[in-house]
Amino acid sequence: MKKGQIAHLNKDRSDGDIGNLVYLCLDHHDEYDSRTSQAKGLTEDEVRLYREQLYKANRAQVDLATENSQVTEAANPILPLLRDESAFQHARDQDNAGFEVLNRQWNYPLWQVVDQTDLFAYKSHGDIDGVCLIERIDLPNGAIAIACIAPCGNPGQSITNNVELICFQVCERFNIPPKRLIWLEHYDYGDPEWNWVTFRVMPPDGPFSDPRWHEVSSTLWSEWGLIPKKKLPRRGPVYGSKLKKLFKRPSSFEDLS
């Protein structure tokens, strides 16, 4: 399957209506969202047509796969037994204590090392959960910047389409006061753009809602004392920071009072 992203037909990223969403490969997403002077570019009607063709092709593949599966299972009666979940439930019933760890929520460390991004597994609508990278940066003015970075290979909903839920999960898990939050969104592939996401409604008035995306200007970077790096550094299995800090900071967040 070709890698891609969810695009918004009306180019309003706050409009998550299913009819406004379409899956595009990275190149066509850039082409659709960009203003071109030499080439015609993709029109909304063309993208709608391609979406319908994709849906038809996918439905045909599902029908074929279902038909083949039924034929295979008829020829090999052992296959349905291999998918029998009762065997796994029986194993759980025999050793409740041993499986207790599988029944609790996934735990995170209670915060990271400075200049290091950590993987964060998030829940999303439609049970299409995903994984992102997050980094906390305590700014000199008292604000707390959270860099939410989409890595290649995220299996779930994008960090853009799920921004309200991801933001809530991060802030609740790490007890970040919403009024001190600066939420930064970035994709570690394709477009190098960074966006500052603001919300019209925030806890305690309600869940994060009505997001607005603002491209981060050089003035804002300077105000925050941050400079974005071109590449996300990695030391073995550990990701470094994609934001250079222009101010003194502690060696770890445990040092913060």
Side-chain angles (χ1 to χ4, degrees):
M1 180 179 177
K2 197 166 187 178
K3 292 182 178 179
Q5 296 173 326
I6 299 297
H8 296 73
L9 287 172
N10 62 8
K11 301 185 180 181
D12 180 2
R13 287 187 288 186
S14 65
D15 184 357
D17 183 80
I18 189 66
N20 186 45
L21 306 180
V22 58
Y23 182 86
L24 296 176
C25 72
L26 299 179
D27 290 338
H28 283 140
H29 194 176
D30 287 342
E31 182 180 350
Y32 184 61
D33 283 348
S34 301
R35 295 190 181 95
T36 58
S37 56
Q38 301 298 323
K40 176 178 72 66
L42 290 172
T43 67
E44 182 175 332
D45 288 339
E46 287 174 329
V47 174
R48 288 182 184 277
L49 175 62
Y50 297 149
R51 181 179 65 179
E52 290 306 313
Q53 293 174 346
L54 176 63
Y55 286 172
K56 289 180 181 178
N58 285 343
R59 281 194 292 269
Q61 289 295 324
V62 170
D63 292 342
L64 179 61
T66 302
E67 180 181 341
N68 290 340
S69 175
Q70 292 170 345
V71 171
T72 304
E73 288 187 5
N76 187 351
I78 294 178
L79 285 179
L81 296 178
L82 295 177
R83 289 198 293 269
D84 186 0
E85 295 181 0
S86 63
F88 300 100
Q89 185 59 49
H90 180 71
R92 285 176 178 267
D93 294 341
Q94 298 303 309
D95 186 13
N96 286 331
F99 284 95
E100 184 178 354
V101 65
L102 298 181
N103 298 325
R104 66 164 171 79
Q105 185 176 356
W106 195 67
N107 272 331
Y108 306 89
L110 206 64
W111 202 267
Q112 312 119 305
V113 177
V114 166
D115 286 337
Q116 179 177 314
T117 56
D118 280 343
L119 289 167
F120 185 90
Y122 58 84
K123 298 179 180 180
S124 66
H125 294 297
D127 294 329
I128 312 175
D129 301 333
V131 178
C132 63
L133 291 163
I134 55 172
E135 179 185 5
R136 169 178 171 161
I137 306 162
D138 284 63
L139 301 178
N141 63 3
I144 300 174
I146 300 294
C148 180
I149 301 172
C152 288
N154 173 27
Q157 258 193 12
S158 73
I159 62 173
T160 299
N161 290 335
N162 206 44
V163 63
E164 303 98 322
L165 278 180
I166 300 175
C167 187
F168 189 93
Q169 290 169 77
V170 170
C171 291
E172 182 182 43
R173 176 69 185 97
F174 301 113
N175 196 26
I176 297 171
K179 294 190 181 301
R180 295 173 59 192
L181 174 70
I182 296 175
W183 189 266
L184 300 175
E185 181 181 284
H186 175 65
Y187 286 78
D188 192 43
Y189 52 87
D191 194 341
E193 179 181 280
W194 285 80
N195 282 285
W196 174 25
V197 185
T198 58
F199 303 89
R200 186 180 62 83
V201 179
M202 298 187 298
D205 299 327
F208 291 99
S209 61
D210 196 9
R212 293 290 183 269
W213 284 261
H214 319 272
E215 186 173 354
V216 183
S217 64
S218 57
T219 302
L220 277 174
W221 284 127
S222 178
E223 179 182 324
W224 296 332
L226 301 172
I227 299 177
K229 300 177 183 177
K230 291 183 178 180
K231 293 184 178 180
L232 179 66
R234 194 179 73 179
R235 299 180 293 275
V238 178
Y239 289 100
S241 170
K242 203 167 183 182
L243 292 169
K244 181 179 180 181
K245 290 80 176 175
L246 303 180
F247 50 86
K248 188 176 180 180
R249 57 209 182 280
S251 58
S252 74
F253 285 108
E254 294 178 354
D255 297 338
L256 292 170
S257 58

